[in-house]
Amino acid sequence: MEPSFDDVWAECEDLFAQAREQLTTLKTPQPAHVIQASVNALFRTTHTLKGMAGMLGFPRFSQAAHRMEDIFDLMRQGRLRSTDSLIETLESGIQALESGLAGLRRGQPEPDDYLHALRRRLGELEALARPPEGAVLDLTSLLDLPPDVLKALSEYERTRVTAVLLAGIPIHGIRVRLDLRTFDERLRALSEAAGAQGELISTLPLEAPEDQEELCFLLLIAAQVLEIQGLGALPGEGLEVLELADPERIPASLRSEPIALSAPAPATEAPQPSLPAGVASQDVEVLRLPAQRVEELEARLMAVAQVRDSASQVLRQLQGAGGDRPLVMMGEMETGLLEVQKSLLQMRMVKVESLFRRIEPMVKALSRDMGKPVRLSFQGGDLELERSLLGRLTDPFLHLVRNALDHGLEGSSERLAQGKAETGSLKISASQRGRNLRFDIRDDGRGFDLARIEARGIAMGLLKAGQAHSSEDLHRLTLEPGFSTQERASQISGRGVGMDVVRSEVEGMGGEIQISSELNRGSLVRLSLPLSRAVVGCLKVRCGHQDFGIPLSHVLRIQASPAGLTGGSRVEVLGEDLPMESLQACLGLPEPAGGQRLLVVLRQQGATVNASLEIALGVDEVVGRADLLLRSLPELAHAPGIMGGSLQEQGILWVLDPEAVMGLAMDSLMRRVAGV
Amino acid sequence: MSETLLLLHARAAGREILLPVSDLREVVASTAVTPLPGGPPGIQGVVLHQGEFLPVLDWTAIQGCPARLEPTVAIAVLRPRLGLPLEGLTGTVAAPVEGWLDSVEGDPWGPILAGLCRIGDRDLHLLDPDRLLAMLHRLRKGR
């Protein structure tokens, strides 16, 4: 790949991310001007993609992007009605372009038609579009403006005037006089303020008096109500609001055939000052920087933190010389530094939801194409993962979802015959487990046919006949290169390439993949991916002379014991009799002679009350709670029970992996019972 | 035209050693190593290096290491992100074309050496970072 194209690829990725956001906006009820803004943004996005593809030398991609651009153009002119089916088709189209781009980036040749699967539906959409001509559909004459001003409206603006009026939204005019020296800045401010209240259809220059250094403008705004106070006009600008067109004046016959993009906002639903995310993102400046720069900044910040720690220690030694003030100032610095570190971390992170957003349209499209109704659910979208992982995860996820629909879930009749619900279930959940982000992709389909996998494995020479093969081994076999039980590839999956690619991609990120299934009950594919950095809310405890952090997500309770307890004791916690183990024993450190009086009760994350592992962990001291910037340990230094470290004033503080510590505690307790 | 191989001449675990400069990220002044409870064998703990945790080798995990080690003055940071504590630094030397020997049979360091190199009148141990890492993995597996 040409290194100089890196920026272009990255920009394309951003454009797709924006397109997905805009499409999400279109799927939910929104005021008409928000819908219009989203459609406009999608039109611009596909237009830009078309140009970029041309620049990169991919003419067929460019043609496909052009096709999508045409559809968005019809929508923005109000010639295509926004329906669920239309949005679904557009999502599929954007998805097809995005997958196509990923393929091109991997060096795959261009397909004949990126939108082949959608060709028929796109054609139908274009046929449904209303013709642009026709006096009946041009309602600009309803605007109370001089003919020469009306002539200045572009074709697009005329169609918007028509569309909003048919949608029952009045059109207002804002006439304003602006100082020649600052008019551009003021016009922008006024346009933004007006755009926040409705759809800004046009900005028209008006004739200004010759003897004054001013320019006059007329802004056309479609809004149910326009509040003059919210426009932020300055004294001397002579701002005036005009009622240019009233939808009530439209003939009843036309009003019965609305061609608006969405239902008009109810009168009570005045546009909010803060626009929805999809719209606001157009106004937010996005900086694209090489990740290395952020890494360098983080490293420098870490060096500053080290200096701060040394200074803090010196200050403690000199305590008293300047009162408490220097120490208080150090504390403020520490808080500030952690905030900066958190902000830097957030720059690298993105919500898991954005991954889910990529999957949803594909599942819907596959469900429809394959005739298999699916109930799709997501969980854990609020968790965050590193942006770099997101890009790498999309393709493996899409493949796994395709597999689940193609091979896992049965058709309706088969499900009914088996006594299952007619609609299949596909659940995708994310959860943080220690230093890992875990994704579960669970379906309630037919599960893996292990007998068939075994037979195929033997036939391919991957397994030996006559030997017993565990369920785990057989599931794992499906991740081997070239393995497939399909004699012939289906159009969706089953080509025998993919699962091994999924595995290598996941392992390339330092992660793991596990598969399990039960015949006719369903399958679970579990991906565990290590996070290199995270901010974790922790309980700080002390054992021996060392501090440790225990993630609060797993801390059920802190309890004091009247007498010192040693590992292997039993303690009563909230009426439950729980085993107790010393943290030192879990980590291979010497246990305190007199036992421990403080207990931290841990519970497995996500476990239910009825089926959970709880254990009381003995510690010497509870120091307090803190948000810790966690850094993972390199593979060479992996230690059981420790998920990473955080730089603190006193040095490195180890953050415990609660699930692993619970495992270590159980091992230690069993050794005690066995007397070894 | 052949390129000259540059070697770092240092002292570690009581031995005169050589390390290919091409295998090094840098050599940094020694800082206190934070022990890692329950850490893998062969790793004494970590130090902070360029904002990341750097595992530091524990020479005592290698057979033939003296029971008592001299204080560390510097840490050689290998490319695969492993710190080697050094007791002294002599400088760099160009690898000689001749004078290479196999490591002495029975030397407990044999599995981590690429060979011996005669510089002046002394035979110096050329450390092989790949073999060293392989040894660490073996230690961890055998835990």
Side-chain angles (χ1 to χ4, degrees):
Chain A
M1 186 200 311
E2 294 268 351
S4 57
F5 284 163
D6 280 357
D7 265 3
V8 183
W9 292 119
E11 195 167 344
C12 288
E13 279 179 12
D14 283 356
L15 287 169
F16 280 116
Q18 286 166 23
R20 281 192 302 274
E21 266 184 37
Q22 305 296 352
L23 284 166
T24 306
T25 306
L26 291 184
K27 283 195 287 185
T28 51
Q30 302 282 357
H33 71 280
V34 173
I35 298 279
Q36 187 62 29
S38 294
V39 173
N40 284 342
L42 283 160
F43 171 75
R44 286 195 300 270
T45 299
T46 43
H47 180 78
T48 309
L49 282 168
K50 179 180 74 176
M52 283 179 155
M55 190 179 80
L56 290 167
F58 300 123
R60 286 172 184 159
F61 187 100
S62 191
Q63 283 164 13
H66 191 169
R67 191 89 200 275
M68 295 298 293
E69 180 191 349
D70 284 347
I71 301 289
F72 288 120
D73 194 26
L74 290 173
M75 284 181 79
R76 75 189 197 122
Q77 289 180 37
R79 292 166 56 195
L80 256 185
R81 190 196 300 261
S82 175
T83 61
D84 287 351
S85 151
L86 168 63
I87 302 300
E88 212 174 283
T89 306
L90 295 174
E91 274 186 323
S92 303
I94 291 291
Q95 179 75 56
L97 290 179
E98 190 169 12
S99 298
L101 189 84
L104 292 177
R105 203 171 173 180
R106 284 197 296 268
Q108 289 173 358
E110 278 210 280
D112 284 342
D113 185 359
Y114 290 81
L115 304 172
H116 177 79
L118 301 170
R119 197 152 53 188
R120 197 163 48 93
R121 270 186 284 155
L122 289 172
E124 285 168 2
L125 284 175
E126 281 171 328
L128 278 174
R130 283 169 172 265
E133 304 85 9
V136 173
L137 288 176
D138 190 349
L139 301 177
T140 44
S141 57
L142 290 178
L143 290 171
D144 189 10
L145 287 171
D148 57 328
V149 176
L150 286 179
K151 268 189 214 163
L153 290 173
S154 68
E155 188 194 335
Y156 168 65
E157 288 163 346
R158 296 171 89 90
T159 56
R160 285 312 303 154
V161 166
T162 308
V164 296
L165 287 174
L166 286 171
I169 304 171
I171 298 176
H172 313 265
I174 300 173
R175 192 157 52 195
V176 68
R177 291 196 313 270
L178 300 174
D179 191 313
L180 189 59
R181 289 162 299 185
T182 57
F183 83 93
D184 48 351
E185 197 180 302
R186 287 294 305 139
L187 188 60
R188 199 179 315 124
L190 282 166
S191 301
E192 278 174 8
Q197 295 196 41
E199 179 188 341
L200 177 59
I201 295 175
S202 181
T203 303
L204 300 167
L206 297 177
E207 213 172 302
E210 281 183 8
D211 56 341
Q212 288 181 26
E213 288 196 341
E214 285 178 331
L215 293 173
C216 292
F217 293 93
L218 178 70
L219 281 66
L220 264 58
I221 305 290
Q224 292 291 359
V225 182
L226 191 63
E227 289 180 5
I228 195 163
Q229 296 87 347
L231 296 172
L234 299 178
E237 289 182 340
L239 187 139
E240 198 183 345
V241 172
L242 316 165
E243 301 303 325
L244 295 183
D246 183 353
E248 293 301 318
R249 288 165 54 199
I250 302 169
S253 58
L254 276 182
R255 261 186 273 158
S256 62
E257 288 184 270
I259 59 164
L261 292 165
S262 72
T268 51
E269 193 187 324
Q272 299 299 309
S274 58
L275 293 174
V279 176
S281 63
Q282 291 167 37
D283 305 326
V284 175
E285 188 184 7
V286 177
L287 293 177
R288 187 179 298 115
L289 339 148
Q292 196 189 348
R293 284 200 198 165
V294 179
E295 279 161 18
E296 284 166 3
L297 190 57
E298 279 183 326
R300 280 183 195 173
L301 199 61
M302 193 60 91
V304 175
Q306 278 178 295
V307 175
R308 170 212 59 194
D309 295 340
S310 306
S312 180
Q313 279 170 358
V314 171
L315 271 176
R316 283 183 197 284
Q317 286 159 9
L318 299 172
Q319 202 170 6
D324 286 342
R325 184 67 190 137
L327 278 176
V328 172
M329 287 164 71
M330 286 306 294
E332 285 168 4
M333 271 179 70
E334 174 145 2
T335 310
L337 271 174
L338 183 64
E339 287 305 316
V340 177
Q341 284 173 319
K342 274 194 206 172
S343 304
L344 269 175
L345 182 68
Q346 277 163 359
M347 283 186 197
R348 302 169 154 277
M349 306 302 270
V350 60
K351 283 203 187 299
V352 167
E353 194 183 6
S354 52
L355 177 66
F356 292 166
R357 222 180 277 151
R358 295 183 186 196
I359 296 166
E360 192 181 2
M362 198 192 72
V363 172
K364 280 190 179 169
L366 282 176
S367 163
R368 188 192 50 240
D369 294 348
M370 296 164 70
K372 292 182 180 178
V374 183
R375 193 175 60 252
L376 177 67
S377 64
F378 296 110
Q379 206 179 359
D382 277 346
L383 287 169
E384 292 185 325
L385 80 163
E386 283 159 75
R387 196 177 288 274
S388 58
L389 292 185
L390 177 73
R392 294 179 68 181
L393 266 176
T394 307
D395 274 358
F397 250 93
L398 294 182
H399 188 86
L400 291 172
V401 166
R402 264 198 298 265
N403 264 0
L405 267 99
D406 197 18
H407 302 311
L409 293 174
E410 312 91 338
S412 299
S413 53
E414 192 181 334
R415 289 181 67 86
L416 288 171
Q418 288 182 27
K420 292 182 173 181
E422 186 180 358
T423 302
S425 160
L426 181 62
K427 292 180 180 169
I428 303 177
S429 64
S431 58
Q432 194 165 349
R433 302 284 164 141
R435 59 186 284 273
N436 288 327
L437 192 62
R438 184 194 278 178
F439 287 100
D440 283 350
I441 299 143
R442 198 185 291 267
D443 69 66
D444 68 346
R446 52 174 74 97
F448 284 68
D449 187 344
L450 296 184
R452 200 163 161 212
I453 291 172
E454 187 170 35
R456 187 79 180 146
I458 292 168
M460 289 174 76
L462 297 168
L463 296 176
K464 284 187 181 169
Q467 283 189 352
H469 302 105
S470 69
S471 157
E472 195 182 333
D473 288 343
L474 294 173
H475 279 115
R476 193 143 192 90
L477 196 63
T478 61
L479 300 170
E480 290 299 318
F483 185 86
S484 173
T485 56
Q486 297 289 91
E487 298 298 330
R488 282 185 303 172
S490 77
Q491 201 175 353
I492 309 298
S493 55
R495 291 172 175 81
V497 291
M499 285 307 280
D500 60 319
V501 177
V502 170
R503 184 179 78 169
S504 67
E505 192 65 60
V506 169
E507 290 180 348
M509 290 181 257
E512 284 178 4
I513 177 168
Q514 289 174 308
I515 305 177
S516 57
S517 72
E518 222 178 313
L519 196 61
N520 294 327
R521 298 289 296 275
S523 314
L524 168 67
V525 180
R526 175 167 287 170
L527 311 181
S528 293
L529 297 161
L531 293 169
S532 70
R533 292 169 179 80
V535 174
V536 185
C538 284
L539 179 74
K540 281 169 82 173
V541 299
R542 188 163 296 152
C543 277
H545 300 292
Q546 219 168 345
D547 286 354
F548 296 93
I550 304 177
L552 287 166
S553 54
H554 287 69
V555 176
L556 181 66
R557 183 180 167 82
I558 302 164
Q559 185 167 307
S561 164
L565 296 171
T566 52
S569 308
R570 306 287 303 186
V571 290
E572 193 181 307
V573 178
L574 300 172
E576 292 280 327
D577 181 45
L578 298 184
M580 177 267 175
E581 185 52 285
S582 158
L583 178 56
Q584 280 96 322
C586 300
L587 299 176
L589 300 170
E591 291 178 59
Q596 287 163 313
R597 287 168 182 269
L598 285 168
L599 304 170
V600 178
V601 184
L602 299 183
R603 176 188 278 181
Q604 275 180 319
Q605 196 181 37
T608 61
V609 179
N610 296 328
S612 65
L613 174 64
E614 288 173 11
I615 203 158
L617 211 57
V619 299
D620 296 351
E621 212 176 315
V622 173
V623 182
R625 58 167 294 174
D627 281 338
L628 301 176
L629 180 71
L630 178 77
R631 283 166 182 272
S632 63
L633 282 165
E635 199 203 339
L636 266 177
H638 273 182
I642 293 180
M643 71 174 178
S646 178
L647 189 67
Q648 300 288 296
E649 198 179 311
Q650 298 79 14
I652 297 168
L653 177 143
W654 298 120
V655 177
L656 302 176
D657 178 344
E659 303 262 346
V661 167
M662 289 167 91
L664 291 171
M666 293 309 286
D667 289 348
S668 177
L669 287 167
M670 280 192 274
R671 279 197 302 274
R672 287 182 195 275
V673 172
V676 291
Chain B
M1 191 175 69
S2 63
E3 285 182 21
T4 308
L5 178 67
L6 207 59
L7 303 169
L8 176 74
H9 181 185
R11 196 151 47 80
R15 293 189 183 219
E16 297 289 323
I17 63 162
L18 296 172
L19 272 165
V21 169
S22 55
D23 285 333
L24 290 175
R25 284 172 187 261
E26 60 179 320
V27 178
V28 295
S30 174
T31 52
V33 177
T34 305
L36 189 58
I43 299 295
Q44 55 168 302
V46 300
V47 292
L48 206 63
H49 175 252
Q50 292 182 348
E52 301 288 344
F53 295 130
L54 176 74
V56 179
L57 182 73
D58 177 8
W59 290 112
T60 63
I62 301 169
Q63 285 187 338
C65 175
R68 198 180 163 87
L69 295 177
E70 288 177 38
T72 301
V73 296
I75 294 175
V77 185
L78 296 182
R79 291 215 171 271
R81 291 196 64 81
L82 172 68
L84 304 187
L86 303 176
E87 295 163 354
L89 278 166
T90 308
T92 51
V93 290
V97 179
E98 293 180 351
W100 289 96
L101 302 165
D102 287 337
S103 52
V104 178
E105 202 175 326
D107 181 354
W109 275 39
I112 59 166
L113 296 179
L116 292 175
C117 176
R118 174 147 290 221
I119 305 248
D121 58 350
R122 283 188 300 176
D123 289 337
L124 307 180
H125 302 92
L126 178 65
L127 215 60
D128 182 336
D130 291 336
R131 293 184 185 195
L132 182 63
L133 287 170
M135 186 209 69
L136 285 174
H137 284 292
R138 278 200 302 276
L139 281 175
R140 192 157 56 172
K141 272 192 159 181
R143 193 181 197 180

